[in-house]
Amino acid sequence: VQLVESGGGSVQAGGSLRLSCIASGFTLPNYCVNWFRQAPGKEREVVATLGNRYTRYANTAKGRFTISQDNAKNTLYLQMNSLKPEDTAMYYCAARRRMSYDYDCYYTNVGAYTYWGQGTQVTVSS
């Protein structure tokens, strides 16, 4: 099982980036795969979760970020618009095996995930 993130970079405030997380060794529909981020000196936090019925976002991401998934490409995405300097962080995708009751995959605890990517850095300048 492997997760590889890409798409990070340096942008000015107000800009956009689209992050990708390519999964290998498993198929996305069989796992809960979501986005986290970790800023320097801060704890890793959930950014967005994708379930069968709902997508959920951290309050800081609502209205600006969109999580989506392409099963044909086995890839998870995070479209980030109207970026702010406070969005600067390392962004990670994380996966855990989906159970029969996991309709929403709403796991915000870092410890709930089994697999992590190496991260992709996002830097937003003012």
Side-chain angles (χ1 to χ4, degrees), residues 54-85:
Y54 305 111
T55 55
R56 290 187 171 93
Y57 300 91
N59 288 334
T60 54
K62 285 179 182 177
R64 301 185 299 123
F65 293 6
T66 303
I67 186 173
S68 63
Q69 181 170 304
D70 186 334
N71 291 337
K73 296 182 178 180
N74 220 34
T75 300
L76 183 76
Y77 299 101
L78 185 68
Q79 177 67 44
M80 304 187 297
N81 299 327
S82 301
L83 283 162
K84 304 175 181 180

Side-chain angles (χ1 to χ4, degrees), residues 6-61:
S6 64
S10 297
V11 297
Q12 290 190 329
S16 298
L17 287 172
R18 188 176 80 154
L19 306 184
S20 299
C21 170
I22 299 176
S24 59
F26 68 96
T27 55
L28 282 184
N30 293 334
Y31 279 72
C32 293
V33 187
N34 294 314
W35 285 101
F36 285 76
R37 69 184 180 187
Q38 186 168 18
K42 295 188 177 181
E43 293 186 352
R44 195 169 296 189
E45 62 178 5
V46 66
V47 175
T49 64
L50 178 63
N52 292 342
R53 296 177 298 184
Y54 305 111
T55 55
R56 290 187 171 93
Y57 300 91
N59 288 334
T60 54

